[in-house]
């Protein structure tokens, strides 16, 4: 039984057609609707409280396929419609779902499809100096040649009035950080509007997938966002495996989960430290970075890479763990946990820190829901979301045995986002212990057949930032026709923009750090 | 407060001799680094980091140079917020088309004499991203480079080594 399926049938009746043997895994419902009913389908989904997970376009000559993926609880439903290449327009979903605003701007920029009724079709990712007719995701576009530069202009949102001034920041920021551009309109110290401009690190990743072989794609996926390398390559591999009908060996799944949790701990430690550092509490920063370094070194010693890059491969994993390795991790965790708890107490009892982080950068629960936020940002704003529970792969499907606990807070401020991270580190420590105790024997990888033609694969994985979605499609000759990557940053950047007005300019770094979204994962 | 003090004292000094554990023959890199920085840069080498399109893996390792274990400041190396104060640009990533102009401007804003170090496989030759419509390849396709540090991402030890190579070479 699927609630979303029932909802779309009752709203659209005969107009919706379900397609079998196309979308894998079979738990993901796939249906097609006529173009004019595309927005109506969104309305039906909205009524059943589903969230918009992603929206993207494909080229299936002579058509453009327009896809929207909805999520409710553990269910995913993908709605597809087609437009012709002569008339690439389709009804916009922006009025129903806010995140569609960015998705559609991006589809418009990179694929050249037109969301009719969209309020703001300024290019996104595509800069003003790109040729107007450059649509990299179209098949006719030659990706191997550099593009000429043309004259163009980007229109910024403006606020005018007495005492309003503008602060441009970036793309090269003050710290060691990725590039992006922010425009603040401020009155005195108070920010009244923030506009983000991203796309500086656009490397054409989605296009590049199309020129790769299935078995090599995991390397590129692992470099979509360097700090989330495990989760990204895992999502790619899972989508590919679902298309080929391959079930990875049990031991491989357990090890994948182990890597995922270690990645989560390392990144959360860095973030908590950096948040404290931005509130001028350097003590915490250095202590936590010290702990993080320990985790990375163990990774390097046991798995051969500090970030466990390229260790998750289609069909399983590339490295195993022996008894000694297990003991090493367990003894490390014992030490680490003790130290971490001491530091948490210090964080918790420090009033000057609390003064900075409380009620700063508030993303209210209703706003977070409207924006369909995911991951730590969503959980700090009252949304109970976690793919490890709602869309689990083994071993997380045994969550009653793991007793996976998802921290949910409602204040939506910097403090809440820090606490979500602290809870998650504690949870990860517990999960790693459980994983090592229950690690099954057997192979760690198997041979995977390339998928057959005209199929689609889907995977959602909870990375440390939140839900990562990969959608793969094979073309008529069995090649990669499209690989859609949706990093959590694609939606959560909107959350940052929304949480800033009303704060003071010096608090922006603090807010930004507490969101800590990936630029590379967003720009692709 | 007492907790903070107790934690500080129990942690002690964790700064390590650089690279000792990773490559025995360059145990002396730190001292050499310090010596060269003292001689050529009056004891203070200011680095401006520029991300020209990386996946942020290299950034994590550059961050690690600042932690208390690698503690680059003891050799007189520090990161500066503005290219105007920088002796060296540490550039990561393949240069994305959208960052090309910003990278050139940052380079122009850095006073001469200046050093440019390309970090990571992508910075050296474009790495997995290669040369496409959106990626221009290695850093030397856009600005002149003095030293290369390979690795995906290079370890903090490799970064120290590369920085040393760059300042010794000039």
């Amino acid at each position: 039984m699927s609630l979303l399926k029932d909802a779309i049938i009752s709203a659209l009746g005969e107009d919706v057609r379900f397609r079998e043997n196309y979308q894998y895994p079979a738990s993901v419902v796939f249906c097609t609707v006529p173009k004019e009913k595309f927005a109506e389908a969104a309305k039906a989904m909205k009524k059943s409280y589903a969230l918009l997970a992603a929206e993207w376009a494909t080229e299936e000559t002579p058509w453009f396929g327009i896809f929207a993926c909805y999520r409710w609880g553990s269910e995913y439903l993908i709605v597809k419609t087609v437009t012709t290449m002569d008339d690439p327009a389709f009804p916009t979903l922006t009025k129903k779902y806010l995140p569609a605003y960015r998705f559609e701007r991006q589809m418009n920029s990179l694929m050249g499809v037109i969301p009719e009724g969209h309020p703001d079709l300024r290019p996104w990712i595509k800069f003003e100096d790109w040729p107007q007719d450059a649509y990299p995701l179209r098949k006719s576009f030659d990706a191997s040649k550099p593009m000429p530069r043309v004259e163009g202009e980007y229109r910024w949102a403006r606020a005018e009035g007495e005492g309003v001034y503008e602060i441009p920041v970036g793309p090269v920021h003050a710290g060691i950080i990725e590039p992006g551009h922010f425009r603040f309109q401020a009155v005195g110290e108070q920010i009244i509007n923030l506009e983000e401009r991203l796309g500086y690190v656009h490397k054409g990743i989605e296009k590049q997938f199309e020129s790769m072989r299935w078995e090599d794609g995991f390397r590129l996926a692992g470099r979509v966002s360097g700090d989330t390398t495990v989760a990204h390559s895992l999502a790619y591999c899972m989508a590919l495996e679902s298309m080929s009908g391959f079930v990875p060996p049990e031991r491989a799944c357990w090890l994948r989960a182990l890597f995922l949790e270690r990645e989560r701990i390392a990144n959360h430690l860095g973030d908590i430290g950096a948040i404290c550092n931005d509130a001028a509490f350097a003590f915490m920063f250095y202590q936590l970075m010290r702990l993080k370094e320990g985790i990375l070194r163990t990774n390097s010693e046991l798995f051969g890479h500090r970030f466990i890059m390229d260790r998750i491969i289609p069909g399983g994993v590339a490295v195993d763990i022996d008894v000694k390795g297990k003991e090493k991790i367990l003894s490390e965790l014992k030490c680490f946990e003790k130290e971490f708890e001491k530091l948490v107490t210090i964080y918790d009892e420090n009033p000057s820190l609390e003064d900075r982080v409380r009620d700063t950068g508030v993303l209210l629960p209703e706003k977070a829901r409207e924006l369909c936020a995911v991951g730590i940002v969503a959980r700090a704003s009252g949304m109970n979301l976690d793919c490890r529970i709602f869309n689990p792969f083994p071993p997380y499907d045994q969550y009653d045995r793991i007793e996976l606990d998802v921290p949910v807070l409602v204040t939506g401020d910097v403090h809440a986002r820090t606490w979500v991270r602290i809870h998650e580190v504690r949870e990860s420590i517990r999960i790693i212990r459980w994983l090592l105790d229950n690690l099954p024997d057997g192979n760690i990888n198997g041979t995977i057949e390339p998928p057959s033609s005209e199929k689609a694969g889907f995977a959602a994985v909870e990375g440390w930032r939140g839900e990562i979605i990969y959608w793969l499609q094979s073309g008529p000759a069995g090649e990669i026709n499209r690989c859609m990557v949706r990093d959590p940053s694609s939606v959560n950047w909107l959350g940052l923009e929304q949480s800033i007005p009303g704060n003071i300019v010096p608090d922006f770094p603090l807010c930004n750090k507490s969101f800590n979204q990936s630029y590379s994962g967003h720009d692709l | 407060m007492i907790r903070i003090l107790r934690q500080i004292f129990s942690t002690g000094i964790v700064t390590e001799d650089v690279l000792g554990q990773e490559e025995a023959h360059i145990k002396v890199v730190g001292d050499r680094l310090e010596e060269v920085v003292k001689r050529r840069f009056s004891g203070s080498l200011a680095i401006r980091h520029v991300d020209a399109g990386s996946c942020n893996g290299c950034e994590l390792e550059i961050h690690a140079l600042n932690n208390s274990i690698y503690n680059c400041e003891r050799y007189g190396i520090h990161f500066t917020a503005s290219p105007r104060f920088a002796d060296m640009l540490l550039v990561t990533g393949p240069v994305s088309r959208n960052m090309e102009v910003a990278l050139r401007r940052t380079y122009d804003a850095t006073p001469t004499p200046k050093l440019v170090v390309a970090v990571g496989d992508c910075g050296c030759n474009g790495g997995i991203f290669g040369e496409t419509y959106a990626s221009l390849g290695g850093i030397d396709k856009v600005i002149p480079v003095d030293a290369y540090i390979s690795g995906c991402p290079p370890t903090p030890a490799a970064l120290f080594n590369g920085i040393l190579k760059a300042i010794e070479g000039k």
Side-chain angles (χ1 to χ4, degrees):
Chain A
M1 196 195 82
S2 164
L3 276 171
L4 292 185
K5 194 172 174 179
D6 293 349
I8 201 164
I9 291 174
S10 69
L12 298 180
E14 290 289 292
D15 286 329
V16 52
R17 291 186 190 281
F18 294 92
R19 198 168 155 191
E20 305 285 325
N21 301 327
Y22 177 72
Q23 179 69 53
Y24 296 88
S27 57
V28 178
V29 182
F30 184 87
C31 61
T32 52
V33 298
K35 191 161 84 171
E36 57 283 2
K37 300 280 177 177
F38 192 57
E40 228 167 280
K43 196 171 157 193
M45 290 294 100
K46 181 106 187 176
K47 262 193 181 158
S48 33
Y49 299 103
L51 300 170
L52 180 71
E55 197 182 354
W56 67 97
T58 64
E59 184 180 328
E60 299 159 23
T61 336
W63 311 98
F64 286 120
I66 311 287
F67 297 77
C69 174
Y70 301 94
R71 174 196 343 107
W72 186 86
S74 57
E75 294 175 21
Y76 285 91
L77 181 137
I78 298 175
V79 179
K80 178 190 180 183
T81 190
V82 289
T83 69
T84 58
M85 295 185 97
D86 311 325
D87 173 29
F90 67 97
T92 176
L93 305 186
T94 310
K95 286 167 197 153
K96 312 285 182 306
Y97 284 103
L98 268 182
Y101 165 78
R102 285 270 170 89
F103 290 137
E104 286 175 358
R105 271 176 79 182
Q106 191 166 345
M107 288 154 72
N108 178 253
S109 301
L110 301 182
M111 189 64 96
V113 291
I114 300 162
E116 251 169 0
H118 193 286
D120 172 17
L121 274 184
R122 287 175 299 162
W124 185 245
I125 304 294
K126 187 171 178 171
F127 276 17
E128 60 273 10
D129 62 358
W130 291 32
Q132 284 288 322
D133 58 346
Y135 299 117
L137 289 180
R138 287 193 180 178
K139 295 289 171 199
S140 55
F141 182 85
D142 181 7
S144 61
K145 284 202 199 97
M147 287 181 297
R149 287 189 193 269
V150 299
E151 286 284 311
E153 194 198 4
Y154 188 78
R155 285 173 297 108
W156 292 91
R158 276 271 152 79
E160 277 167 20
E162 202 175 336
V164 179
Y165 64 101
E166 196 176 71
I167 313 171
V169 181
V172 180
H173 301 279
I176 302 166
I177 181 176
E178 295 177 78
H181 186 94
F182 302 97
R183 286 253 169 138
F184 302 94
Q185 261 92 36
V187 178
E189 286 270 80
Q190 203 94 8
I191 300 169
I192 51 176
N193 188 40
L194 161 67
E195 190 178 359
E196 296 159 355
R197 174 103 199 264
L198 302 172
Y200 287 94
V201 261
H202 175 69
K203 298 184 279 284
I205 290 176
E206 284 186 321
K207 183 74 177 178
Q208 206 179 345
F209 270 115
E210 292 168 19
S211 63
M212 295 189 99
R213 295 184 308 163
W214 291 103
E215 57 269 37
D216 296 333
F218 79 99
R219 283 181 193 279
L220 186 58
R223 284 159 182 80
V224 165
S225 180
D227 50 13
T228 323
T229 171
V230 170
H232 267 282
S233 44
L234 177 57
Y236 174 85
C237 291
M238 277 170 59
L240 176 56
E241 283 156 7
S242 73
M243 283 169 93
S244 319
F246 179 87
V247 181
E250 239 192 336
R251 188 176 174 86
C253 291
W254 256 254
L255 286 171
R256 284 173 170 190
L258 172 70
F259 299 162
L260 206 55
E261 297 304 328
R262 288 189 71 84
E263 181 175 81
R264 186 183 310 276
I265 293 181
N267 282 300
H268 281 347
L269 288 179
D271 276 359
I272 301 166
I275 291 169
C276 295
N277 196 38
D278 276 351
F281 194 48
F283 163 82
M284 271 303 253
F285 176 68
Y286 287 108
Q287 291 284 345
L288 286 167
M289 288 300 270
R290 177 175 63 88
L291 296 182
K292 180 181 175 183
E293 181 68 22
I295 304 269
L296 297 184
R297 284 185 176 186
T298 310
N299 284 348
S300 169
E301 190 186 324
L302 297 179
F303 312 121
H305 195 286
R306 280 161 63 90
F307 304 121
I308 326 185
M309 197 176 253
D310 294 340
R311 297 303 184 263
I312 290 182
I313 55 174
V317 290
V319 282
D320 204 350
I321 187 168
D322 54 8
V323 183
K324 255 189 171 162
K326 257 195 228 178
E327 276 166 12
K328 163 103 193 164
I329 292 183
L330 288 174
S331 68
E332 177 200 32
L333 282 186
K334 206 168 152 191
C335 246
F336 165 74
E337 193 178 25
K338 219 170 98 197
E339 297 236 28
F340 182 69
E341 288 305 327
K342 264 200 260 176
L343 293 171
V344 170
T345 314
I346 292 174
Y347 172 85
D348 204 27
E349 289 182 351
N350 203 310
S352 64
L353 194 59
E354 213 170 312
D355 192 42
R356 290 292 301 279
V357 294
R358 276 201 195 264
D359 298 323
T360 306
V362 178
L363 183 67
L364 290 173
E366 51 267 39
K367 202 93 195 186
R369 210 192 138 78
E370 229 177 280
L371 295 173
C372 304
V374 295
I376 31 178
V377 173
R379 290 196 282 276
S381 295
M383 291 164 78
N384 186 2
L385 295 174
D386 195 320
C387 297
R388 290 178 297 173
I389 291 185
F390 293 116
N391 186 39
F393 70 94
Y396 294 116
D397 53 357
Q398 310 193 13
Y399 53 81
D400 48 337
R401 276 176 70 205
I402 307 186
E403 294 172 354
L404 192 67
D405 181 29
V406 179
V408 178
L409 296 164
V410 291
T411 47
D413 52 4
V414 176
H415 185 66
R417 284 187 285 277
T418 314
W419 266 108
V420 167
R421 286 177 165 98
I422 292 173
H423 280 306
E424 286 193 11
V425 171
R426 290 171 172 165
E427 271 301 290
S428 293
I429 296 173
R430 213 175 45 71
I431 294 170
I432 290 178
R433 287 204 179 115
W434 184 89
L435 287 170
L436 292 177
D437 284 344
N438 293 279
L439 195 64
D441 291 326
N443 284 339
I444 55 162
N445 52 39
T447 333
I448 178 169
E449 294 289 318
S452 51
S453 59
E454 312 277 350
K455 276 187 178 178
F458 174 93
V461 165
E462 190 74 17
W464 66 273
R465 270 196 189 92
E467 172 200 55
I468 293 166
I469 295 178
Y470 270 67
W471 186 83
L472 296 170
Q473 185 191 39
S474 60
E479 80 286 9
I480 303 184
N481 187 56
R482 181 87 166 85
C483 173
M484 191 280 298
V485 181
R486 210 235 48 209
D487 191 78
S489 320
S490 308
V491 277
N492 285 353
W493 271 115
L494 279 164
L496 175 66
E497 213 172 55
Q498 292 294 316
S499 72
I500 294 300
N503 286 275
I504 55 172
V505 179
D507 272 346
F508 174 70
L510 194 57
C511 302
N512 191 18
K513 195 63 80 187
S514 74
F515 276 86
N516 191 12
Q517 295 306 311
S518 168
Y519 295 74
S520 182
H522 172 276
D523 295 348
L524 294 171
Chain B
M1 196 65 208
I2 194 79
R3 275 187 217 277
I4 297 179
L5 290 173
R6 198 175 289 152
Q7 177 71 17
I8 288 172
F9 286 120
S10 70
T11 306
I13 293 173
V14 293
T15 303
E16 293 177 348
D17 274 350
V18 173
L19 323 168
Q21 38 146 16
E22 299 190 65
E23 284 179 64
H25 73 282
I26 39 172
K27 205 167 158 43
V28 284
V29 156
D31 296 333
R32 262 167 60 202
L33 205 52
E34 194 176 6
E35 195 265 320
V36 179
V37 169
K38 203 169 243 168
R39 187 156 42 85
R40 290 186 183 272
F41 298 93
S42 297
S44 150
L45 172 71
I47 299 180
R48 171 64 246 190
H49 158 256
V50 185
D51 179 341
S54 91
C55 72
N56 81 23
C58 293
E59 275 62 40
L60 293 180
E61 295 294 46
I62 295 174
H63 263 294
L65 291 184
N66 272 320
N67 72 22
S68 45
I69 293 165
Y70 295 103
N71 186 16
C72 65
E73 290 210 18
R74 70 188 142 145
Y75 303 126
I77 298 172
H78 67 275
F79 287 85
T80 165
S82 163
R84 300 270 182 217
F85 312 135
D87 303 305
M88 175 187 283
L89 291 179
L90 204 58
V91 194
T92 60
V95 185
S96 71
R97 177 194 153 90
N98 291 345
M99 268 304 282
E100 187 191 356
V101 176
L103 177 61
R104 276 187 210 280
R105 283 196 191 164
T106 310
Y107 179 78
D108 292 340
T110 313
T112 42
K114 54 195 160 195
L115 289 164
V116 177
V117 180
V119 176
D121 288 347
C122 302
C124 293
N125 56 23
I128 193 168
F129 301 107
E131 286 176 42
T132 61
Y133 75 98
S135 153
L136 308 179
I139 308 298
D140 54 11
K141 291 270 174 350
V142 178
I143 55 173
V145 172
D146 298 288
Y148 299 85
I149 305 175
S150 60
C152 188
T155 58
L159 287 168
F160 269 132
N161 244 337
I163 293 170
L164 177 68
K165 215 171 77 189
I167 57 178
E168 270 189 334
K170 273 253 160 145

